[in-house]
Amino acid sequence: MDRNSIKNILKFLSLVGIIVIAFFTLPLITGIIYKEDITYFALYLFISFLIFISILIYLKNYRMKMKIKEAILSVNLVWFMIGSLGAIPLMIGTHINFINGFFEAISGFTTTGATIYSDIDHLPKYILMLRSTMHWIGGMGIIVLGVGLLSFINPTGSLTLFQAESTGINVEKITPKLKHTALKLWEFYIFLTLIDMILLKLEGMSFFDAINHAFATISTGGFSTKSASLGYWDNNYLIIWTTTIFMFLSGMNFLAHIKLFNKDFSGYKSEEVMWYTIIFFGLATALSIIHFFTSQDSFFYSLTHSFFTISSILTTTGFATLDYSLWGQAAIAIIFLAMLIGGNTGSTAGGIKTIRFVVMFKNLTHQIKKILHPNIVCSIKIDNNKLSCDTVINVSAFIFLYILTNAIISLYLFANGYDAMTSLSATIACVGNIGPGFGQVGPADNFAFFTDTQKFILAIGMIIGRLEFFTVLILLSREFWKKF
Amino acid sequence: MDRNSIKNILKFLSLVGIIVIAFFTLPLITGIIYKEDITYFALYLFISFLIFISILIYLKNYRMKMKIKEAILSVNLVWFMIGSLGAIPLMIGTHINFINGFFEAISGFTTTGATIYSDIDHLPKYILMLRSTMHWIGGMGIIVLGVGLLSFINPTGSLTLFQAESTGINVEKITPKLKHTALKLWEFYIFLTLIDMILLKLEGMSFFDAINHAFATISTGGFSTKSASLGYWDNNYLIIWTTTIFMFLSGMNFLAHIKLFNKDFSGYKSEEVMWYTIIFFGLATALSIIHFFTSQDSFFYSLTHSFFTISSILTTTGFATLDYSLWGQAAIAIIFLAMLIGGNTGSTAGGIKTIRFVVMFKNLTHQIKKILHPNIVCSIKIDNNKLSCDTVINVSAFIFLYILTNAIISLYLFANGYDAMTSLSATIACVGNIGPGFGQVGPADNFAFFTDTQKFILAIGMIIGRLEFFTVLILLSREFWKKF
Ligand SMILES: [K+]
Ligand SMILES: [K+]
């Protein structure tokens, strides 16, 4: 690694650092408004700001031009940096150790929403705002990184954000439009957050709760300002349905949304969005029926909370209203399916994602045809674009890595004495950036009981899942470090 | 479906039927020797023989030339036929219903070895022999079907039996040698069974136990003549180590073994066999250490039974000596890994199989290289043969189907109220043709407690796993039935 590489990485980290610190003024303002003790937090922000700005001033004449290896290393390092940046104020404000702070911060930035706090209602307001802000930055970052940076990190990735651009395989094609697209996405992200916030306020939330939940909804994060999560408003049908719909919209490909501004509805007709919608209604209906028949709840109450639950889990948001683990094992099986599937590409949702299942099922159909007609060539189409073999292989490798990562972490937890359900669902909830699972990590529980090592491994799992495996895994290859 | 298709299928089924009935004379002889009440069993064999022979005589001038669709349908139907053929004498001899008999027979023929009997020691000897015989026929059938029939059912299947033939992709290449290879494999299968039987007899088993266990070992079946399985001889180190080694040899690619007859050791140097051996020693060593430290057992006793357990699970045999579920969750995690991996292609073992993991891991390495060098083409080599993209996609589709099948059946069992560990491990144990799992289906338990529907679904799971998914799944496609 030469001097230039270090400068590149340092400049990139400092740029991200300064942006994060800038956003952290939101919790600072919150603390000021609510007259909370934010002296140390303010000092911390000031010192961090000084450090980052010094580096940027020192490197101000250095023109950053990253090579691919530098970009990959930077993206990995940036997660450890922002994890630490978020951990420190949590340590100061709530008297927890670094690993707990790191877990919570990574859970925030990756929009996972798994928490180590048991009594959320009594956390300082600026800490609550800090957690939501981490979600919101994370969600925004994923969208802009997806457009600006990850596109060339994931070169075979026709299934990154650009899927719905209907350019099919060739990512380079849209590079000229990149900046424009990124800006549009940001605008829409902010727009959707504002609308959600205004609606929640009008429907009865305090302004503070509305902004926090809007942040956590649009980023598909899942941190709440209440221990009971959205269950605090379980009888306010307006709030529940609004959140259900906004989670659903946030788990959808944002490129479909921004097309709407040009009065182009075609984005919603893509196979990805179509299947996502079908899966949502299918699972939600099934859960409603199970919920209604296994509980004393009224039909509309069951319907509302079942649609809410599936929307929350499928989009990997992870809000909870009722403790769905009490609706029997058939309900858990349905919710488990939603955990595995996840939302759309081009959104802030995690999980395997709808489009990859579409590709795998089309490939199955193709493989079966191949038995009868051995000489037919690979010809899988998505939205009328032919997928290359390379793309199919890449998707397969992704799913294999997803399962491998989950299997290894689950077996690690299981070997440490947790029951099968807790081990498996805690892992899937973290790697899939969902938040709650089942067993000891159900919607009414938290992650506090894991040891520091286990929390650290789960936090790494969140990062691996967020960066879609390859970007982290490449660090383990010899080729990456050779002639860096 | 025209008249010729029906004739083809009928002739094929009758041929298999007559072979199965011929083998069933082994339990008949057993019954005669031990003076057991086999009147109805003899009558049953006689009637079945008459039916099959009549069909064959009726069709004797009809020259069978199967089209691919007929072959696929036949292979599926044959499993239901032999399942029923095996079920009926079990129903008569042990007073169980048809579904229980079907489950036990399918478990026998697929070499799964999961049983619905709790008191195996007191079953009539001819019933015990019948169970072992089903294993042995099943193992033999898999090898000959693999060579003769499945080769053209699985056209992209460079990873069928022929892997080690070092012909790489092109299955057709070896077709002329097919008959010769099939014969060699059979000879070796019988040879290995005889050696194992003689050794077990010399080491202290009765002749009856020796023949039954040799049948169940070489076929990687796992039915025993004792409720305690091999645990009955847990202090006879010779029997335990002999069985460990013969299970290990039976889980290896038989093509490697038959090369040995030509004094060609190259088969053992294939990547498949090499990785299989590495995984075996790695997992067995890890389990030995865990076993030794979590129990009061002596070092050599721990080593012996841990190597036995890994050999039994990795080869999907499913014999048990000690109740390994008592060695703590770390031990269960190790054994779980062995369940997922499975043995070699070209053997009677089930599971995902070593070579597919080798392909997937090589593909991961390739995908990572591709991030740094986006234009490199797919170039995965196994034993110096380049794999086509089609093969990689086929392997990926296989693993996806394996996981999908296991997920669906597990969630079905879980939704019916079984705990996560029982649901998941019972499914993997059946679909992977292993036998025992964990939870309620541990090595000391049996499958009797499942309802008839659940048993039937698990039996279908065994067939699906045995036929490696595609051969069964194709029946669900519209294309298959169109212009049959
Ligand atoms: K989440
Ligand atoms: K078995």
Side-chain angles (χ1 to χ4, degrees), chain B residues 338-415:
Chain B
M339 288 180 84
L340 293 175
I341 298 171
N344 280 3
T345 52
S347 78
T348 56
I352 294 180
K353 300 204 174 83
T354 331
I355 192 72
R356 295 201 176 87
F357 279 98
V358 177
V359 172
M360 288 315 277
F361 275 101
K362 288 200 175 190
N363 185 32
L364 283 188
T365 314
H366 175 74
Q367 291 298 320
I368 281 171
K369 269 197 194 131
K370 215 176 162 69
I371 297 175
L372 300 173
H373 313 288
N375 296 321
I376 57 165
V377 287
C378 184
S379 64
I380 299 170
K381 283 186 178 181
I382 301 272
D383 297 328
N384 282 319
N385 292 297
K386 202 170 160 299
L387 292 192
S388 70
C389 275
D390 275 358
T391 306
V392 179
I393 291 177
N394 183 261
V395 171
S396 307
F398 178 95
I399 292 184
F400 183 70
L401 265 182
Y402 173 89
I403 288 157
L404 198 70
T405 309
N406 279 289
I408 291 170
I409 301 180
S410 298
L411 286 174
Y412 163 76
L413 292 180
F414 182 78

Side-chain angles (χ1 to χ4, degrees), chain A residues 107 110-114 135 219-222 312 315-319 429 432-436:
Chain A
S107 177
T110 56
T111 77
T112 302
H135 271 343
S219 65
T220 67
S312 173
T315 63
T316 72
T317 305
F319 281 141
N433 303 131
I434 300 163

Side-chain angles (χ1 to χ4, degrees), chain A residues 249-284:
Chain A
L249 292 176
S250 305
M252 205 180 266
N253 194 325
F254 271 47
L255 291 169
H257 293 316
I258 61 169
K259 277 190 182 171
L260 202 63
F261 282 99
N262 303 327
K263 297 192 177 90
D264 175 3
F265 285 85
S266 68
Y268 297 114
K269 289 173 191 157
S270 72
E271 293 188 41
E272 174 173 36
V273 172
M274 201 188 69
W275 279 109
Y276 169 68
T277 311
I278 292 171
I279 291 165
F280 169 67
F281 279 98
L283 294 178

Side-chain angles (χ1 to χ4, degrees), chain A residues 20-42:
Chain A
V20 169
I21 295 297
F23 274 103
F24 278 7
T25 51
L26 274 172
L28 188 74
I29 294 164
T30 308
I32 293 168
I33 291 172
Y34 288 98
K35 300 192 174 65
E36 292 175 325
D37 179 13
I38 48 151
T39 327
Y40 289 111
F41 182 51

Side-chain angles (χ1 to χ4, degrees), chain A residues 68 153 156 329 332 363 367-371 373 390 393-394 396 400-401 403 414 417-418 473-474 479, chain B residues 68 153 155-156 329 332 363 367-371 373 390 393-394 396 403 414 417-418 473-474 479:
Chain A
I68 187 159
I153 286 182
T156 54
Q329 296 199 161
I332 295 179
N363 185 32
Q367 292 298 320
I368 281 171
K369 269 198 194 131
K370 215 174 161 70
I371 297 174
H373 313 289
D390 276 357
I393 290 177
N394 183 261
S396 307
F400 183 70
L401 265 182
I403 288 157
F414 182 78
Y418 300 103
L473 199 78
I474 195 173
E479 182 126 357
Chain B
I68 187 158
I153 285 182
T156 54
Q329 297 200 162
I332 295 180
N363 185 32
Q367 291 298 320
I368 281 171
K369 269 197 194 131
K370 215 176 162 69
I371 297 175
H373 313 288
D390 275 358
I393 291 177
N394 183 261
S396 307
I403 288 157
F414 182 78
Y418 300 104
L473 199 78
I474 196 173
E479 182 126 357

